[in-house]
Amino acid sequence: MKRREFIGAAAIGALAASAAAQAQPPRRTYKRIATEEGFLIPEVLDENERIMRAGGPQLMTRGAGVMAQNSIDIGAGRIAKMDADGVDMQLLLLSSPGVQVYDRDKAVALAKLANDRVAAAVKAYPTRLAALTTIAPQDPIEAVKELERGVRTLGLNGVLVNSHTNNEYLDLPKFWPIFEAAEALDAPIYIHPRDPAAGMAQIMTGPVLGGPAFAYGVEVAVHALKLIDAGLFDRFPKLKIVIGHMGESIPFWLQRIDNRFLWSTRTAPSKLKRLPSEYFKANFWVTTSGMNYKAPLMMTIEQLGIDRVLYAIDYPFENQGEAVKFAEAMPLTPAQKMKFFQTNAQSLFKIKTI
Ligand code: MN
């Protein structure tokens, strides 16, 4: 080939390459793992129905239409929606309040059944689904056994607790064997919201304060701070706790919590070894579930560091496609996006199959 022909061919090649680049966006270098995605099993919907008929709280039943259908689909239909919306993997959590409103024996049995079902779904789609172990805190000893079975035998990726159980929080010493087992297995515990405990619940109602609008976040923030206040992380310093919704407002409060903690403990020293914010930064990870909101995302990253912030959507309760578009539009570098969407989740939840 003569020199002039060579340059001509190279120029045409470059033009073709640049046209191709304009035709489609650059190839993604990371996978998108969404880490707080809801599922249910039909037996839970049926038990919810029975409890509601007996005058119990409002719960999701088969009558919830598309929401119930999307919740119990942990197979091909869910995968197709993930494909359409650009989600590579969902980490599945039994939707709130899970088994925590049932009597003890029913709760223990349905937790096991939910774990067996979701483990089978993960086995069917190992590169697309991962899941947390549901436990029934109503029986702390059985909860420890199920936690160990879920992580060791079923190969699940951590533990789920839907906040309080019968108005009791996990700061009570009777629940601490659960934390001891989780720390020993290096299994993160995800504290997911539910309707607030008695006392808070009565005043937090309606479309502005109730449920996910505000009450859920307050509920989990209170739970998280009670764990810090109880000295849990002095006893179990390697414990990993995960909370959603940009940290349930705690990143916004850290400076004031420390400031007032120092003031109120100047005359009556605290039993805590460290500042409240130090435990939050050492023992907590935060996901973005249900919060397509730039300012708190950037502040949470600034407060905790990019290694502690994980992507989550809150499917099927939130719009999966919108949540992907929002997160992609955030001013994060390619290296930050790699951590946020993929590698933070992989290392925290020990996801090896994506
Ligand atoms: Mn959720």
Side-chain angles (χ1 to χ4, degrees), residues 285-286 288 297-311 330-341 343-345:
W285 279 253
V286 162
T288 59
L297 173 62
M298 302 321 282
M299 191 196 64
T300 302
I301 292 172
E302 187 186 313
Q303 286 290 309
L304 303 186
I306 188 67
D307 292 341
R308 295 273 169 157
V309 184
L310 286 72
Y311 183 54
M330 290 299 98
L332 302 176
T333 66
Q336 286 178 314
K337 279 192 176 175
M338 173 65 89
K339 289 183 172 189
F340 171 69
F341 279 112
T343 56
N344 289 348

Side-chain angles (χ1 to χ4, degrees), residues 221-299:
V222 166
H223 202 155
L225 295 176
K226 281 175 82 67
L227 298 184
I228 291 174
D229 186 52
L232 184 71
F233 304 104
D234 288 328
R235 174 71 182 79
F236 304 112
K238 291 185 177 149
L239 193 58
K240 295 174 176 174
I241 303 291
V242 190
I243 56 177
H245 315 96
M246 307 286 186
E248 312 288 13
S249 83
I250 293 176
F252 187 93
W253 282 93
L254 286 177
Q255 184 274 343
R256 183 157 173 81
I257 292 170
D258 278 358
N259 177 18
R260 292 293 91 189
F261 173 83
L262 288 169
W263 176 257
S264 61
T265 57
R266 74 200 186 287
T267 48
S270 166
K271 62 187 184 308
L272 297 183
K273 292 182 181 160
R274 305 169 75 182
L275 288 171
S277 69
E278 292 179 299
Y279 297 108
F280 194 71
K281 290 176 181 180
N283 297 96
F284 284 77
W285 279 253
V286 162
T287 83
T288 59
S289 57
M291 293 275 275
N292 297 333
Y293 195 3
K294 179 180 162 189
L297 173 62
M298 302 321 282
M299 191 196 64

